[in-house]
């Protein structure tokens, strides 16, 4: 099976748990995902199967969207409520103060990757170091530039210090770190209490399937799961298409360099195309070179015609 299926990752599962389940349901070892979610997070998790796994590193950076719940007055070692509480204070922070501070965290900002993260330092994952008792003071981490496209305070209760923010951001953003940093700016600390990813790689909650549903389909009619897969080109809606005829498809499959003058293009521009074979299956990302040859950016499949 080749294609993309969006799974709604449940709370309590790791992204790798979902991969293991989907590997069994789709009966393929070639499977991957885009954008790891923490165990306590839930929401959109695009799963790539078969030839589509080669597209993971080429996903357009369309940004991600999240809804996160938080509580002011608490800090933990993981920056979310699942961690060990480091500080807890009684405080009263009015809504206006929260809105004032969150405005400072929009646009391009810098983040320090949290200790409980998959970032590698000298070949070791930070979360492995943290679990061994290594503290943040003992590990030198570089600040990373991220972009917060939008940050909206959806709900807030001044009496409890609890609320919900909606965040649109670039990839590589840690929402729990964003909340932690907002808490530091408030002066009382803050911790993430829940997280839902509502958009990733252009896919939304409406595109997602629940794991329980997929398991039920597999138990009754396993072959039907293939109809749940989105074609690879759905990942690249903004890339114009280049269409190969049957002869060109055969030549391409055999590794020949194609002449762009003989290929039909949706439109001509100086950029990357979705290259479709004679059955309109996406077989590569490609570009037109100055000598009018077609060069392959990434080949996805060698399936026969």
């Amino acid at each position: 099976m080749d294609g993309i299926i969006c799974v709604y990752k449940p709370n309590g599962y790791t992204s790798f748990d979902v991969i293991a389940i989907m590997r069994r349901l789709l009966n393929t070892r070639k499977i991957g995902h885009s954008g790891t979610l923490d165990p306590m997070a839930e929401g959109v998790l695009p799963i790539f199967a078969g030839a589509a796994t080669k597209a993971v590193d080429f996903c357009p950076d369309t940004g991600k969207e999240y809804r996160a719940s938080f509580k002011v007055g608490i800090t933990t070692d993981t920056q979310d409520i699942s961690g060990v509480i480091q500080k807890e204070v009684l405080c009263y922070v009015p809504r206006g103060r929260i809105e004032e501070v969150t405005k400072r965290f929009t646009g391009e900002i810098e983040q320090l990757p949290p200790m409980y993260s998959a970032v590698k330092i000298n070949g070791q994952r930070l979360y492995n170091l943290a679990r061994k008792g290594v503290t943040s003071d003992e590990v030198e981490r570089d600040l990373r530039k991220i972009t917060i496209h939008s940050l909206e305070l959806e709900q807030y209760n001044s009496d409890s210090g609890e609320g919900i923010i909606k965040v649109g951001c670039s990839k590589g953003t840690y929402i729990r770190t964003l909340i932690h940093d907002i808490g530091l700016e408030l002066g009382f600390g803050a911790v993430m209490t829940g997280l839902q990813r509502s958009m990733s790689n252009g896919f939304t909650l409406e595109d997602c399937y629940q794991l329980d549903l997929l398991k039920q389909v597999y138990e009754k009619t396993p072959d039907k799961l293939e109809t749940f897969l989105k074609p690879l080109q759905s990942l690249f809606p903004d890339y114009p298409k280049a269409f190969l005829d049957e002869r060109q498809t055969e030549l391409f499959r055999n590794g020949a360099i194609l002449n762009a003058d003989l290929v039909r293009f949706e439109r001509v521009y100086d950029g990357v195309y979705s290259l479709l074979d004679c059955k309109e299956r996406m077989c590569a990302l490609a570009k037109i070179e100055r000598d009018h040859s077609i060069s392959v950016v990434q080949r996805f499949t060698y399936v026969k015609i």
Side-chain angles (χ1 to χ4, degrees), residues 57-77:
D57 293 336
F58 293 88
C59 292
D61 186 12
T62 53
K64 303 181 190 300
E65 289 183 359
Y66 297 88
R67 291 183 76 248
S69 55
F70 66 91
K71 182 173 177 57
V72 178
I74 298 177
T75 57
T76 70
D77 60 345

Side-chain angles (χ1 to χ4, degrees), residues 40 75-86 116 191-192:
M40 74 170 291
T75 57
T76 70
D77 60 345
T78 60
Q79 300 179 349
D80 61 42
I81 201 63
S82 69
V84 176
I85 294 177
Q86 296 175 318
Y116 283 88
V191 67
M192 187 179 77

Side-chain angles (χ1 to χ4, degrees), residues 6 15 28 38 94 97 106 113 119 144 148 158 174 190 233 235 271 280 298:
C6 282
S15 298
T28 179
D38 291 337
R97 175 62 176 159
T106 57
V119 173
R144 296 184 169 192
I148 304 297
S158 300
Y174 289 94
Q233 53 261 43
L235 189 65
E280 296 199 0
Q298 176 63 53

Side-chain angles (χ1 to χ4, degrees), residues 202-264:
F203 300 113
T204 66
L205 293 171
E206 288 70 29
D207 298 309
C208 288
Y209 295 102
Q210 298 286 343
L211 272 179
D212 287 344
L213 171 64
L214 297 174
K215 290 176 183 178
Q216 290 171 14
V217 172
Y218 175 77
E219 290 170 1
K220 294 179 180 179
T221 51
D223 292 343
K224 189 178 178 181
L225 279 180
E226 189 166 5
T227 66
F228 287 64
L229 293 171
K230 294 179 178 291
L232 187 54
Q233 53 261 43
S234 65
L235 189 65
F236 305 99
D238 297 329
Y239 289 10
K241 300 178 180 64
F243 303 91
L244 304 182
D245 60 25
E246 189 169 337
R247 175 59 178 160
Q248 290 164 342
T249 298
E250 182 66 29
L251 289 170
F252 179 78
R253 300 292 187 203
N254 292 325
I257 297 176
L258 301 178
N259 184 341
D261 294 335
L262 303 178
V263 173
R264 180 168 63 91

Side-chain angles (χ1 to χ4, degrees), residues 192-205:
M192 187 179 77
T193 56
L195 181 66
Q196 180 193 60
R197 184 159 66 193
S198 53
M199 193 270 283
S200 178
N201 301 122
F203 300 113
T204 66
L205 293 171

Side-chain angles (χ1 to χ4, degrees), residues 14-30:
T14 68
S15 298
F16 297 107
D17 290 336
V18 176
I19 285 292
I21 293 169
M22 294 307 299
R23 180 175 286 120
R24 177 175 64 86
L25 298 186
L26 296 176
N27 192 28
T28 179
R29 296 199 60 80
K30 292 182 66 178

Side-chain angles (χ1 to χ4, degrees), residues 97 99-109 151 185-186:
R97 175 62 176 159
E99 291 175 331
E100 174 195 342
V101 169
T102 53
K103 288 178 182 178
R104 303 175 194 171
F105 287 85
T106 57
E108 187 176 84
I109 64 174
L151 204 171
E185 190 74 12
L186 290 169

